[in-house]
């Protein structure tokens, strides 16, 4: 899996209930054709990053087929999740 493009924005909590800050990252990812995640239209990874006093963590993520906008029910492997977390933290 390779991240080819990204964008992010800070999410606002109008209630003030959530501790820390939240960011939504939209990552364009490329996978090999033989990968079960491969889609003809491309793949996007939507990541919600929680940043609190004790550090940053991935609060939620999902894969989205860019053509159909369908959410795909796949998970990241442990090393991929660490890579995505490091990438997102680096871009803040």
């Amino acid at each position: 899996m390779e991240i080819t493009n990204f964008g992010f924005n800070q999410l606002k909590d109008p209630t003030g209930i959530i501790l820390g800050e939240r960011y939504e990252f939209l990552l364009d990812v490329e996978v090999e054709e033989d990968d079960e995640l491969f889609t003809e239209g491309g793949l996007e990874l939507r990541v919600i990053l929680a940043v609190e006093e004790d550090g940053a963590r991935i609060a939620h993520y999902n894969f989205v087929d860019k053509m159909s906008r369908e959410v795909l029910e796949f998970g990241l492997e442990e090393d991929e999740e660490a890579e995505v977390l490091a990438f997102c933290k680096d871009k803040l």
Side-chain angles (χ1 to χ4, degrees):
M1 182 177 80
E2 179 183 347
I3 298 170
T4 59
N5 198 9
F6 77 98
F8 75 96
N9 58 27
Q10 184 174 10
L11 301 175
K12 303 293 182 193
D13 175 21
T15 64
I17 302 172
I18 297 175
L19 298 176
E21 299 175 338
R22 298 293 184 272
Y23 297 89
E24 176 186 46
F25 280 81
L26 298 175
L27 310 175
D28 289 336
V29 294
E30 200 171 280
V31 296
E32 299 290 326
E33 282 189 43
D34 61 347
D35 192 305
E36 64 185 344
L37 277 173
F38 180 80
T39 63
E40 289 291 328
L43 192 61
E44 182 176 78
L45 180 60
R46 179 179 178 262
V47 178
I48 304 298
L49 188 72
V51 180
E52 299 167 355
E53 286 184 19
D54 58 343
R57 63 182 173 80
I58 294 176
H60 181 76
Y61 68 86
N62 52 28
F63 287 99
V64 178
D65 181 318
K66 288 174 64 175
M67 186 177 292
S68 70
R69 303 308 301 164
E70 177 184 351
V71 173
L72 305 174
E73 299 297 325
F74 290 100
L76 290 168
E77 294 179 9
E78 195 172 304
D79 60 326
E80 292 172 328
E81 190 168 337
E83 180 183 333
V84 168
L85 176 59
F87 178 89
C88 293
K89 285 172 42 176
D90 184 55
K91 300 306 178 193
L92 289 180

